[in-house]
Amino acid sequence: QEQERETWAPDGEGQDGAIYTVSLPKPIGVSIARGNDGRCYVSRVDPTRGTIDPRVQPGDKLLRVSQSFGEETWEALNYGQVAYAIRTRNGDVFFELQSRGGDMSIFEKKKVDDSTAEMFKAERNGGNYGIGTKELQQRNYIAAQETARERRELFDDGLEKFKGGDHENAILDWENVLGLEPANYMGDDFSKVSQIYQVAAYNIACAYAKMGQVDPGLEALEQALRSGFSDYDKCRNDPNLSNLRTSQNFRPLMDKFDEPIINMDAINAVKGLFGFGK
């Protein structure tokens, strides 16, 4: 039986993309991000980070994803749930995707309608930044403020759930905070990742640690560190991360980002060379 097709039309063109399925052993080299329509799409395919399938291309739409355990799948409607499912998947990760021909416009800011765009163009060509331009600036400002407010609410909701012991739903909220990171973000200090992203990623690691899920916790902690989270003392002493620190992979992960002043491995190697301590 021929599989159904879902219509996608980033520019209103009404094209159809083929639906296909893949099953990828972990770790996977396929990254998923939130599109400007709120749905989930492939943002990156990197074979150096894990397994890939040559059919998967950036821009493809994620339709379904395997749940953490078993054969059941979730419809990929919520970015936070998708991210949680991928991190906690016990076994190969199943994706049902729709090809979009490499179209990455879903990650761009939504375009204004044609008539409004023409008005702005006419103003700029005439050297007159008038009502239309001011309206666009105001619209963009309001949209940015609304997204910031939504992220802050999700972040705070996650904190309340975490404090109440609902670690799984705290993770979902914080994953959605990550999914709402603005494209091409640039902070006042020229950082390319927002502070709320860094802290949310760290909090996700804490929540996984509290749940006893060490591998997803270490993955989230590495994401936090790669994004610029640099409170290394907190990582090494926070009681919330105690389960992660029992892993033999914790110290190498931390040393990769915060090289210790005293390299104990080097000292022990020298001791062994000279026969110290025998």
Side-chain angles (χ1 to χ4, degrees):
Q1 183 178 357
E2 187 177 353
Q3 212 166 5
E4 292 183 1
R5 292 171 180 263
E6 180 177 314
T7 299
W8 64 274
D11 295 312
E13 297 171 359
Q15 301 180 36
D16 291 335
I19 294 176
Y20 63 98
T21 62
V22 298
S23 186
L24 303 173
K26 296 181 74 174
I28 66 174
V30 176
S31 299
I32 304 296
R34 187 179 186 273
N36 60 30
D37 62 350
R39 297 291 296 269
C40 299
Y41 297 83
V42 177
S43 60
R44 183 182 179 190
V45 178
D46 184 355
T48 66
R49 301 193 66 179
T51 58
I52 64 168
D53 185 291
R55 293 172 294 171
V56 181
Q57 298 297 318
D60 287 357
K61 184 176 184 178
L62 181 62
L63 303 179
R64 302 193 71 85
V65 62
S66 50
Q67 295 186 17
S68 300
F69 300 95
E71 302 299 321
E72 298 298 317
T73 62
W74 277 323
E75 189 174 0
L77 297 176
N78 181 283
Y79 173 81
Q81 188 178 51
V82 167
Y84 176 82
I86 295 172
R87 283 195 205 272
T88 59
R89 176 63 181 169
N90 183 21
D92 293 357
V93 178
F94 170 87
F95 287 149
E96 181 181 82
L97 300 125
Q98 183 176 34
S99 175
R100 299 181 66 252
D103 188 336
M104 297 290 283
S105 62
I106 197 65
F107 295 116
E108 299 172 359
K109 288 183 178 180
K110 289 186 175 180
K111 298 178 180 179
V112 297
D113 60 79
D114 291 341
S115 60
T116 305
E118 286 299 319
M119 179 177 65
F120 296 155
K121 182 178 179 181
E123 284 186 0
R124 289 194 297 270
N125 289 342
N128 175 26
Y129 289 81
I131 296 175
T133 300
K134 291 179 180 178
E135 179 186 342
L136 177 61
Q137 291 172 339
Q138 185 177 30
R139 188 185 304 175
N140 288 340
Y141 174 79
I142 292 172
Q145 292 296 107
E146 178 61 24
T147 298
R149 182 195 61 78
E150 182 181 356
R151 294 184 87 194
R152 186 74 231 185
E153 288 182 356
L154 282 167
F155 185 90
D156 291 343
D157 286 347
L159 281 179
E160 288 300 315
K161 291 169 184 173
F162 182 87
K163 292 175 182 176
D166 187 1
H167 301 123
E168 182 175 330
N169 282 308
I171 288 171
L172 297 185
D173 284 343
W174 287 328
E175 289 283 12
N176 279 315
V177 170
L178 304 189
L180 288 169
E181 178 78 351
N184 303 316
Y185 174 85
M186 179 66 73
D188 293 338
D189 59 353
F190 302 106
S191 60
K192 295 184 178 181
V193 181
S194 65
Q195 186 176 23
I196 195 171
Y197 182 104
Q198 297 173 24
V199 178
Y202 176 82
N203 287 352
I204 290 169
C206 291
Y208 277 121
K210 297 291 283 186
M211 294 168 65
Q213 297 195 33
V214 174
D215 288 343
L218 289 172
E219 181 183 327
L221 181 59
E222 181 169 5
Q223 183 176 6
L225 295 169
R226 285 190 183 280
S227 72
F229 186 87
S230 58
D231 193 342
Y232 305 122
D233 286 341
K234 186 174 184 65
C235 294
R236 290 190 167 97
N237 297 290
D238 189 344
N240 290 316
L241 292 181
S242 59
N243 280 332
L244 301 191
R245 289 194 290 272
T246 64
S247 169
Q248 62 182 3
N249 295 322
F250 178 81
R251 199 180 87 175
L253 172 61
M254 292 303 304
D255 289 351
K256 183 163 62 173
F257 293 91
D258 180 34
E259 183 68 25
I261 297 175
I262 301 176
N263 190 321
M264 292 306 299
D265 290 335
I267 291 175
N268 290 333
V270 171
K271 284 183 177 180
L273 184 65
F274 288 95
F276 296 153
K278 291 184 179 179

